[in-house]
Amino acid sequence: MASVASVSLLSEAEFGCEHLATQLTPAGTTADQFKSAFIKTHNALSPRPKPTELPSKQSASVRASALLRPKYTCLTCAEMCTDVGRKAHAQQTGHSFFAQKRRFSESSADELYVRSNANKRTCAKQGVRGLFNLGQTCYLNVILQTLLHDPILNTYFLGNGHQPHDCTVSDCVGCAVAEAFADFNSSDKAEGFAALSLLMASWRASSSLAGYHQQDAHEYYQFLVDKLHASTDGHQEDHEKGCSCFFHKTFYGKLRSSVTCDKCGNVTRTEDPMVDLSLDVQVQAKKRAMGRAGPSCLPTLSGCLESFTSPEKLMAGVYNCSGCGDTPQKATKQLRIKKLPAILCMQLKRYEHTFSVSEKLEGRIDFPLSINMLPYTTNPQPRVDKSRYMYDLLSAVVHKGKLDAGHYLVYCRQGDQWMCFNDDQVTPVSEADVLKADAYLLFYNIRSLAGAPQ
């Protein structure tokens, strides 16, 4: 019997995969038996004219066209039907031709499902692939590479979560992303590929994205999440109504703003959906310059999060208190995370815009491989299970150059190895290389879907 290793160099186009090749290459009757069984099965599925029908050119053409149509097997009685026939068969008998798609929820069963199915298929291509730059499209490439390396999204798209052949949306971004997942994981070629369908769908969906000019990767991420959410059947446009679709649960969190009147103590709370956290790095840099954070202390991600969730004083005239007869009052405002998403994007705001100048803050911001988000939520209780709030770094997007003439690259985790994706160039790097990067966007995955915070 031939081994998988001994036939690994054989043409995949000839056998489909190396595992099938081990069955067909040995001497004997195995290959002939397989061929005979295949022909027998094919002939059994082919529609045959009734005895009363006379052969004609028309009936021959109908039979030829029917041969090209896919056949479906009933899971209950094993009857073979075409697409039209299976619908009629299902209505008459109540039988099923496919298993119902699982709904996404935060449960231990979902976590097991992701762990069991997020790996690449045994016969599929392994490794990583770059993305060709189609004309200043590095902003798209870094975001798409991040999505392609996320285990939750791999489970969704490789498990037919969005099926383009059933989609009726014109220029659907969800279909284009599904195509990118298929190309990335199933192509026979090892070199980079072009996400042309996604680029075209993005251009048609947004006039501001159309054309070969510089775009912001953070803004493109927000655009892509919104379009993926809109591509899901049954999604809610109004986020306040509580959408239960896959993309809403994966990308969207909830932010709570609390304003407390300094005079009467009246508290006004509002909640808004969030797809990312925009953290002010300038505050950390200014503290360091003033010596308040220590002369040698780098700005940190935890410091940015603390500043983001720290109380902020509001002067009279900014806030009118309903408890004080809607009169202007001094108040204290505080932001906290009410609900965390499964994929958490954090933008380190490196750009400062004033009336006179726009500038970019250069330099490294210290960030960890793992982070506990509990202290920044509305539930910072000491007895809460901290493991429910642990996030692990998925990717780090870096912007090189100036505001109007720059380039994006991204570091992504591939199993236990880190890779640097510079368009179609892929380079292995160490964890130390990643942590030294001048990150602009950081993407973190929730460590466990079981018992994830609501």
Side-chain angles (χ1 to χ4, degrees), residues 60-135:
S61 64
V62 171
R63 184 174 183 270
S65 63
L67 284 173
L68 300 176
R69 297 172 184 168
K71 309 300 187 300
Y72 301 91
T73 304
C74 176
L75 299 180
T76 306
C77 66
E79 181 173 337
M80 300 293 179
C81 301
T82 62
D83 184 44
V84 176
R86 67 170 174 166
K87 295 178 182 178
H89 179 77
Q91 291 175 353
Q92 293 174 2
T93 64
H95 295 173
S96 299
F97 285 82
F98 53 87
Q100 293 295 324
K101 186 168 61 177
R102 302 177 77 258
R103 292 178 63 85
F104 179 86
S105 64
E106 294 89 349
S107 67
S108 58
D110 276 307
E111 181 183 17
L112 179 62
Y113 179 74
V114 170
R115 289 181 177 178
S116 301
N117 294 278
N119 295 326
K120 304 295 186 292
R121 292 166 293 171
T122 305
C123 300
K125 283 286 185 182
Q126 301 293 312
V128 294
R129 300 178 65 197
L131 289 163
F132 291 118
N133 194 315
L134 302 177

Side-chain angles (χ1 to χ4, degrees), residues 128 411-412 414 417-421 425-431 433-434:
V128 294
Y411 297 91
C412 293
Q414 173 73 14
Q417 176 67 54
W418 283 92
M419 298 285 180
C420 177
F421 293 87
Q425 300 177 17
V426 184
T427 309
V429 293
S430 65
E431 286 186 353
D433 293 327
V434 178

Side-chain angles (χ1 to χ4, degrees), residues 184-374:
F184 185 82
N185 291 285
S186 302
S187 177
D188 293 333
K189 297 181 179 180
E191 65 268 18
F193 70 103
L196 182 60
S197 294
L198 180 57
L199 179 64
M200 293 294 100
S202 300
W203 283 8
R204 295 187 182 105
S206 173
S207 58
S208 62
L209 290 175
Y212 297 99
H213 47 268
Q214 296 262 348
Q215 298 289 348
D216 181 70
H218 175 236
E219 293 178 358
Y220 184 72
Y221 172 73
Q222 293 176 322
F223 159 84
L224 197 57
V225 168
D226 178 67
K227 293 304 177 183
L228 286 173
H229 175 253
S231 71
T232 308
D233 290 337
H235 72 280
Q236 289 281 353
E237 292 288 350
D238 188 351
H239 295 281
E240 295 181 0
K241 293 183 178 180
C243 182
S244 60
C245 81
F246 170 83
F247 291 114
H248 192 277
K249 289 180 175 291
T250 302
F251 291 112
Y252 287 85
K254 190 175 292 185
L255 200 61
R256 172 183 288 178
S257 173
S258 300
V259 180
T260 304
C261 177
D262 289 350
K263 182 178 180 180
C264 71
N266 179 59
V267 180
T268 303
R269 292 188 178 93
T270 57
E271 294 181 357
D272 297 293
M274 70 172 198
V275 294
D276 54 62
L277 295 174
S278 291
L279 307 177
D280 193 347
V281 181
Q282 303 287 345
V283 173
Q284 296 298 306
K286 291 173 182 176
K287 285 183 178 180
R288 182 181 59 170
M290 295 171 62
R292 293 169 58 186
S296 61
C297 182
L298 282 175
T300 65
L301 179 63
S302 59
C304 292
L305 286 167
E306 289 170 4
S307 296
F308 183 80
T309 55
S310 294
E312 174 190 0
K313 290 295 183 181
L314 300 179
M315 300 303 295
V318 177
Y319 169 73
N320 292 336
C321 178
S322 59
C324 298
D326 287 329
T327 58
Q329 299 292 339
K330 293 182 180 181
T332 303
K333 178 181 178 181
Q334 186 172 26
L335 294 174
R336 287 275 177 178
I337 302 170
K338 174 67 182 302
K339 182 181 182 298
L340 286 160
I343 300 175
L344 177 60
C345 171
M346 289 186 272
Q347 178 205 24
L348 303 177
K349 295 168 64 176
R350 291 181 171 272
Y351 309 118
E352 186 173 37
H353 303 281
T354 64
F355 290 108
S356 58
V357 67
S358 294
E359 59 181 0
K360 175 186 174 184
L361 174 68
E362 301 286 356
R364 185 165 68 90
I365 291 90
D366 188 54
F367 58 91
L369 290 173
S370 300
I371 188 169
N372 175 19
M373 292 299 296
L374 177 61

